[in-house]
Amino acid sequence: MTVNRIGASAHNTELRHDWSREEIRNVYRQPLPNLLYSAQTLHREFHDPTRVQFCQLLSVKTGGCPEDCAYCPQSAHYTTEVNRGGLLPVDEVMEFATRARNEGATRLCMGAAWRNVQEGEDFEAVLEMVRRVSKLGMEVCCSLGMLNETQAERLADAGLTAYNHNLDTSPEFYGQIITTRNYDDRLRTLAAVRKAGVTVCCGGIVGLGESENDRIGLLQQLSALRPHPESVPINALVRVAGTPLENVEGLDPLVFVRTIATARILMPASMVRLSAGRRALSREAVALCFLAGANSLFIGEKLLTTPNPEPEQDAAMLQALGLEPLPLR
Ligand code: SAM
Ligand code: DTB
Ligand code: SF4
């Protein structure tokens, strides 16, 4: 990395948006030591490898979702243990956000089990949540389903840092996981977010029963976005009883590591987030994810509706790995 006179860093590696599946396959399939070496090299060019950003999730509206995403415990199409709820009161969200900030989180992600954003009381309340959380000095991310340009602009005006909307998997496997909306719907929402000047948080899920080619297809789609999503969450499927994917074969942790390393190589400047599914990974597998270039994790007892590792266990893990929280920029 070179540093110019005003202190801004100029990177030698040019960001590419034209990776072909063939090229990505060659990256992904390398012997693991070579894959991790390239991922580490790029990681170090753009990021401090000893720092990880702590994010915290909050489900502000849980369950009863009209979409049929096969992985999701919040879909109304399946019978799961998730209880439906209305929108959380703004004060409750603020209490949660303040606690999260005190525990080291610098980003709060609020999720709602909606197909899409609709104008009205609930959206006004979400805008108020965004305004108030951003005043705490935290990055604020929302994941509220599809939205249009006007709604994206209103979120931007409220102070939203990022909007999370995942492509989840390859275009050709997508239809086997979700039938109630298509890939183009997702891309349209991402374009509206980008146009409003909100940063994009977009990634996917590994372990859905997809093929290697589907993981490569997802990574190709993500890397073709211009600019790259600033934030790329890589989730390992949390298999939830009652969903169609409850009995899908368990994910090989090294497949997860390879996916993260390839994401890091294709999108070196982005935050690559080790997202859902950490509970099923050993401490050593998580260490490999960080070596592969992940630089963020979710802290706290819960993800949206499913458990996350215990905070004490996470603290011990980070201590053993010598990783420090990334302070607010
Ligand atoms: N309803 C909104 C949407 O789908 O855009 C926002 C919330 S939704 C829960 C956000 C993301 O969580 C999904 O796109 C999916 O990638 C991830 N997700 C949901 N259930 C999951 C599970 N069981 N395991 C891993 N990731 C999951
Ligand atoms: C993302 O990619 N992962 C987060 C966030 N975006 C909203 C959600 C994970 C949800 C895991 C299942 C649950 O707890 O309900
Ligand atoms: Fe609804 Fe989002 Fe779950 Fe799909 S992932 S069922 S859109 S909450």
Side-chain angles (χ1 to χ4, degrees):
M1 180 165 53
T2 51
V3 176
N4 67 22
R5 271 186 300 144
I6 52 166
S9 28
H11 301 283
N12 296 322
T13 302
E14 228 173 278
L15 303 182
R16 285 181 53 194
H17 303 269
D18 60 351
W19 290 91
S20 68
R21 284 204 186 189
E22 192 54 37
E23 283 179 296
I24 298 173
R25 190 169 299 111
N26 289 336
V27 170
Y28 180 99
R29 282 193 177 166
Q30 289 176 85
L32 196 67
N34 298 356
L35 175 62
L36 291 182
Y37 181 74
S38 336
Q40 263 291 303
T41 308
L42 282 158
H43 191 182
R44 284 160 185 269
E45 187 184 332
F46 289 85
H47 309 271
D48 177 347
T50 68
R51 298 273 181 175
V52 285
Q53 184 177 23
F54 291 1
C55 307
Q56 191 138 4
L57 280 166
L58 176 63
S59 180
V60 297
K61 195 270 160 199
T62 305
C65 183
E67 301 276 22
D68 68 354
C69 311
Y71 47 74
C72 186
Q74 302 198 69
S75 165
H77 296 257
Y78 321 122
T79 308
T80 69
E81 279 183 2
V82 168
N83 293 321
R84 287 184 192 196
L87 194 70
L88 291 186
V90 181
D91 287 343
E92 214 171 292
V93 172
M94 291 312 294
E95 242 172 70
F96 182 92
T98 311
R99 209 173 329 122
R101 189 185 62 173
N102 293 341
E103 283 159 12
T106 58
R107 184 167 171 118
L108 182 76
C109 177
M110 297 185 278
W114 288 335
R115 167 174 164 77
N116 59 297
V117 170
Q118 281 168 10
E119 323 288 340
E121 213 181 298
D122 281 1
F123 185 45
E124 297 305 319
V126 168
L127 291 169
E128 184 58 18
M129 292 171 192
V130 171
R131 277 190 285 272
R132 290 183 49 192
V133 176
S134 70
K135 285 203 188 101
L136 290 179
M138 298 176 90
E139 295 179 8
V140 197
C141 178
C142 279
S143 190
L144 314 170
M146 294 184 272
L147 45 69
N148 63 33
E149 287 182 9
T150 319
Q151 294 163 340
E153 277 161 25
R154 294 205 60 205
L155 284 162
D157 291 343
L160 191 73
T161 312
Y163 195 80
N164 167 248
H165 203 63
N166 292 337
L167 289 175
D168 283 342
T169 190
S170 69
E172 64 270 29
F173 191 60
Y174 193 85
Q176 286 187 48
I177 300 296
I178 303 154
T179 68
T180 48
R181 55 172 147 67
N182 60 37
Y183 223 73
D184 281 342
D185 292 331
R186 290 251 129 183
L187 292 168
R188 258 193 299 280
T189 291
L190 292 170
V193 170
R194 190 49 91 198
K195 194 166 171 213
V198 171
T199 66
V200 170
C201 173
C202 182
I205 312 182
V206 193
L208 300 169
E210 77 286 346
S211 66
E212 181 185 284
N213 203 34
D214 293 317
R215 291 187 284 276
I216 288 165
L218 165 70
L219 292 165
Q220 195 272 327
Q221 289 284 330
L222 294 172
S223 63
L225 295 171
R226 276 176 192 272
H228 290 156
E230 286 79 359
S231 162
V232 182
I234 307 288
N235 298 277
L237 174 71
V238 179
R239 290 173 292 175
V240 181
T243 62
L245 296 183
E246 98 171 82
N247 294 318
V248 84
E249 203 185 324
L251 172 68
D252 174 352
L254 289 182
V255 164
F256 194 51
V257 169
R258 281 187 182 275
T259 307
I260 289 176
T262 309
R264 168 54 68 222
I265 291 167
L266 305 185
M267 296 167 282
S270 303
M271 297 297 291
V272 174
R273 304 190 194 272
L274 172 51
S275 303
R278 273 200 300 119
R279 255 165 63 103
L281 298 176
S282 69
R283 184 181 69 158
E284 290 70 21
V286 168
L288 280 176
C289 293
F290 289 127
L291 287 176
N295 57 351
S296 170
L297 80 170
F298 286 122
I299 59 160
E301 275 147 27
K302 228 165 45 156
L303 294 164
L304 288 174
T305 65
T306 65
N308 203 31
E310 298 296 329
E312 299 73 39
Q313 200 184 325
D314 269 355
M317 183 261 297
L318 292 164
Q319 159 99 35
L321 302 185
L323 294 173
E324 298 275 353
L326 191 71
L328 257 181
R329 267 173 298 167

